[in-house]
Amino acid sequence: MSNSSTPSAAAGWYPDPAGSARSRWWDGTQWTEHYYDPATGVPVAQLKAPEGTKVYNLWIWLVVFLPYITLPFLFLIDFSGMFSNMDPGNPSGVVRAELQILTSPGYVLLVVGGWIAFAGVVVSAYRDWRALQVAGVPRPFHWAWSFLNPVYAIGRAVVTKRRTGHGSAVLWATIGMIVVSFVISTVWASMLMVNMMQQLSTYSTLYN
């Protein structure tokens, strides 16, 4: 029973030819994907999807990209306008400037768009999870992890890779989007800091 070509052995449990501590079922002609753990006496199911199972669909790409569609809205928020209208000697002016930001179109789009994107990610993760089940992927990564983005996309890629042998593109796309969002956020924060320093310099000149 050293390889799958042995013709003389009857069907039954034999030591795993791969060298693990489990036993593997020989059906009389070939090794199957069924295992048995002698330590527990419980059969071990091999979580493998059928050959050629499709793991990519519209839903998983929505999960990957939807969280970042609001990033451009950061640049629509007019922080420079707030700083220019802010009078350090007038507390009510500071409050009005802050309200101006909170009611600006860019900020509203950022907040509302963020919630819509979040809902879209959760719904898309559920649809992707169901699609994987229908495709024959056993015990796919659970959709509830989508509430902790990007945990679902990463976990889904790892588990799907184990079940089918492919699916890593989701992982690399997720990492790529994280890097892109970090770069965009850094550029935006730098622009904001420059505006703040310019306004502080102006106030310093006016009040000294």
Side-chain angles (χ1 to χ4, degrees):
M1 296 302 303
S2 59
N3 57 66
S4 60
S5 62
T6 304
S8 58
W13 294 105
Y14 295 94
D16 183 5
S20 72
R22 301 174 299 178
S23 296
R24 189 172 182 180
W25 182 258
W26 172 264
D27 67 4
T29 58
Q30 63 181 353
W31 293 109
T32 68
E33 296 303 318
H34 300 285
Y35 295 83
Y36 179 83
D37 188 350
T40 61
V42 178
V44 180
Q46 185 73 354
L47 298 178
K48 290 292 184 181
E51 189 71 24
T53 298
K54 295 182 179 180
V55 299
Y56 299 118
N57 55 62
L58 170 64
W59 305 112
I60 187 55
W61 297 123
L62 288 176
V63 170
V64 172
F65 295 112
L66 270 180
Y68 307 100
I69 63 172
T70 59
L71 281 176
F73 297 150
L74 285 172
F75 299 92
L76 298 180
I77 303 176
D78 185 16
F79 283 100
S80 61
M82 183 191 78
F83 294 138
S84 62
N85 295 326
M86 185 179 293
D87 182 359
N90 184 359
S92 63
V94 174
V95 173
R96 284 196 300 271
E98 291 176 347
L99 289 176
Q100 180 181 339
I101 288 296
L102 296 178
T103 57
S104 66
Y107 184 83
V108 172
L109 285 172
L110 183 67
V111 174
V112 175
W115 281 108
I116 293 175
F118 175 77
V121 167
V122 173
V123 172
S124 297
Y126 174 76
R127 297 296 298 270
D128 173 64
W129 178 69
R130 290 290 300 142
L132 290 177
Q133 289 182 320
V134 172
V137 178
R139 292 175 56 186
F141 196 69
H142 202 276
W143 66 271
W145 286 102
S146 61
F147 287 94
L148 299 175
N149 188 67
V151 174
Y152 175 75
I154 295 173
R156 189 258 200 203
V158 173
V159 172
T160 304
K161 177 70 173 180
R162 292 175 180 171
R163 306 284 194 264
T164 67
H166 52 282
S168 297
V170 172
L171 175 62
W172 294 116
T174 301
I175 294 174
M177 290 307 301
I178 292 174
V179 172
V180 169
S181 67
F182 177 78
V183 172
I184 292 177
S185 299
T186 300
V187 171
W188 174 79
S190 299
M191 293 172 60
L192 179 60
M193 186 62 66
V194 169
N195 282 328
M196 290 179 62
M197 296 304 295
Q198 290 175 343
Q199 293 302 320
L200 288 174
S201 177
T202 301
Y203 292 144
S204 177
T205 301
L206 291 175
Y207 291 94
N208 288 331

